[in-house]
Amino acid sequence: MTDDPKARIVELCRQFYSMGWVSGTGGGVAIRQAGRVFMAPSGVQKERLRESDLFELDEDGNVTNSPSADRSLSQCAPLFFNAFRLRGAGAVLHNHSIHAVLATLVYETEFRVTHLEMMKGIRGTGYPDELVIPIIENTAHECDLADTMAEAMKSYPDSDAVLVRRHGVYVWGKDWVEAKTQAECYDYLFEAAVRMLQLGIDPTQKPTGTPCKHTG
Ligand code: ZN
């Protein structure tokens, strides 16, 4: 059974709104299927999105079907296309999760964690591995992130995410299922790392024994 990408985007935006990932019209989702790309517009409440609000583009990024004239294409479009072109992604998500934002404040140029079970939800990553995600600097306009995001993706071919300082994260996958589940695992790991640092535990270090500080 083929998936209806428009219905899926509407459903995913509602789910992500309830998770605090796309509040205040921020964030977005794009799905590529059978040579066509479907994308939510900018400046629209993501939890109220309808299928008729979505843009349709060809694989070169040309708009082939626009919703009503008061809708504008997402500024994220060139960033979503980075994942389609450079990684052959089938879906890309962008969110402003507070966990992603906080993670970019406690790491400098790379997010790094190791020995956390949820790492297993990330493509090609096991529990004892080190998960590394590049962090790029934010810009005043979202479209201006496209080049630095592309450079980061080329420098970190094993990463399916790019963090943007004080802004959020872009995550992709071969299809919407992989993009969504990886985004959930990444978000968990961002929160875990920030909380570990608050507890004085270094998330980049292999555990050497019990982390418990109290005795008794
Ligand atoms: Zn954004």
Side-chain angles (χ1 to χ4, degrees):
M1 192 177 80
T2 55
D3 218 50
D4 176 358
K6 288 188 170 186
R8 189 64 67 190
I9 288 173
V10 169
E11 178 198 345
L12 290 173
C13 282
R14 289 211 182 103
Q15 285 181 15
F16 297 156
Y17 180 82
S18 71
M19 297 161 76
W21 284 7
V22 295
S23 58
T25 77
V29 180
I31 292 177
R32 180 173 72 158
Q33 189 169 293
R36 299 190 298 167
V37 171
F38 300 89
M39 199 175 289
S42 70
V44 172
Q45 297 181 82
K46 295 298 185 294
E47 75 282 17
R48 302 176 70 87
L49 203 66
R50 294 166 303 179
E51 291 182 33
S52 57
D53 293 323
L54 301 182
F55 279 83
E56 188 178 327
L57 302 90
D58 63 24
E59 290 198 322
D60 294 323
N62 304 305
V63 174
T64 53
N65 207 341
S66 296
S68 55
D70 61 337
R71 298 279 185 246
S72 51
L73 185 65
S74 171
Q75 285 217 342
C76 300
L79 294 97
F80 289 147
F81 270 87
N82 275 341
F84 294 139
R85 288 178 179 140
L86 298 175
R87 298 296 181 82
V92 195
L93 317 178
H94 172 50
N95 72 54
H96 293 174
S97 162
I98 190 70
H99 302 140
V101 172
L102 291 175
T104 69
L105 297 176
V106 295
Y107 288 86
E108 291 184 4
T109 58
E110 294 171 335
F111 172 87
R112 286 177 179 270
V113 289
T114 189
H115 288 76
L116 289 168
E117 180 69 11
M118 285 288 263
M119 291 168 52
K120 287 159 68 175
I122 306 297
R123 179 183 62 84
T125 311
Y127 173 78
D129 296 336
E130 185 179 44
L131 179 75
V132 183
I133 303 168
I135 302 172
I136 62 173
E137 298 303 325
N138 198 28
T139 53
H141 301 288
E142 193 134 14
C143 52
D144 294 334
L145 291 168
D147 289 347
T148 47
M149 179 189 174
E151 283 168 30
M153 290 173 72
K154 288 172 189 162
S155 301
Y156 294 81
D158 295 330
S159 180
D160 283 349
V162 173
L163 281 158
V164 185
R165 182 109 52 214
R166 295 175 177 265
H167 179 159
V169 66
Y170 282 83
V171 180
W172 54 90
K174 66 179 188 295
D175 52 27
W176 71 268
V177 176
E178 187 177 80
K180 174 179 178 284
T181 56
Q182 292 204 123
E184 290 166 352
C185 292
Y186 282 128
D187 198 69
Y188 175 103
L189 294 165
F190 299 151
E191 181 178 13
V194 170
R195 288 210 205 181
M196 287 170 78
L197 285 164
Q198 285 177 323
L199 293 168
I201 302 165
D202 185 348
T204 69
Q205 294 300 309
K206 182 179 170 181
T208 52
T210 172
C212 298
K213 289 178 178 171
H214 60 274
T215 54

